[in-house]
Amino acid sequence: MRVKYLLAIEAIISLSICDSEGNIYVQDAIVDTGFNGWLSLPPDLIDQLNLKWKRRGRAILGDGSECVFNVYEAVVIWDGDYLTIPIDEADSEPLVGMLLMEGYQLTVQVFEEGRVEIRKVTAG
């Protein structure tokens, strides 16, 4: 389904995200297996897409500290389907979390320009 390349030892994929008017933007995002949310985006991209604010969120970071952040809503195109998902605001590069990849297999070749693939797992 999604194929991108490993750059600078980061697994990066391209996502299609809809703005508030339905226009589609393609955005690279880092696959973060330590992030149990859906997708995080930086504030400037959230503003550019004019995403709808939903609520405040709270998370425990890897260092044990607590973080409070804004949660928005966006439509992404994932494996050909339009999904409405929560978007966590974060002062970082866009991150794809484990909830967005649930039901899929992630394969990463861990070397520069290695392949990153996400494929739907079918019951067999």
Side-chain angles (χ1 to χ4, degrees), residues 40-44 46 67 69-70 87-95:
S40 74
L41 296 175
D44 61 330
I46 288 171
C67 176
F69 52 91
N70 289 312
I87 305 293
D88 295 348
E89 182 180 61
D91 288 320
S92 69
E93 295 296 317
L95 301 175

Side-chain angles (χ1 to χ4, degrees), residues 6-7 18-19 25 32 48 61 66-67 72 77-78 99-100 103 106 124:
L6 194 73
L7 299 172
C18 299
D19 69 8
Y25 292 83
D32 184 350
Q48 178 184 344
L61 302 178
E66 184 176 62
C67 176
Y72 296 82
I77 302 172
W78 184 258
L99 279 174
L100 188 54
L106 170 65

Side-chain angles (χ1 to χ4, degrees), residues 94-114:
L95 301 175
V96 173
M98 295 301 286
L99 279 174
L100 188 54
M101 296 186 293
E102 185 176 12
Y104 288 77
Q105 176 180 320
L106 170 65
T107 305
V108 180
Q109 294 177 332
V110 186
F111 51 84
E112 194 161 333
E113 297 188 23

Side-chain angles (χ1 to χ4, degrees), residues 25-63:
Y25 292 83
V26 176
Q27 174 65 52
D28 283 351
I30 299 168
V31 175
D32 184 350
T33 60
F35 171 37
N36 64 358
W38 292 84
L39 178 65
S40 74
L41 296 175
D44 61 330
L45 185 53
I46 288 171
D47 288 343
Q48 178 184 344
L49 297 170
N50 195 29
L51 300 182
K52 182 179 178 182
W53 184 86
K54 296 302 279 182
R55 61 182 168 82
R56 301 281 281 165
R58 188 176 301 237
I60 304 296
L61 302 178
D63 66 1

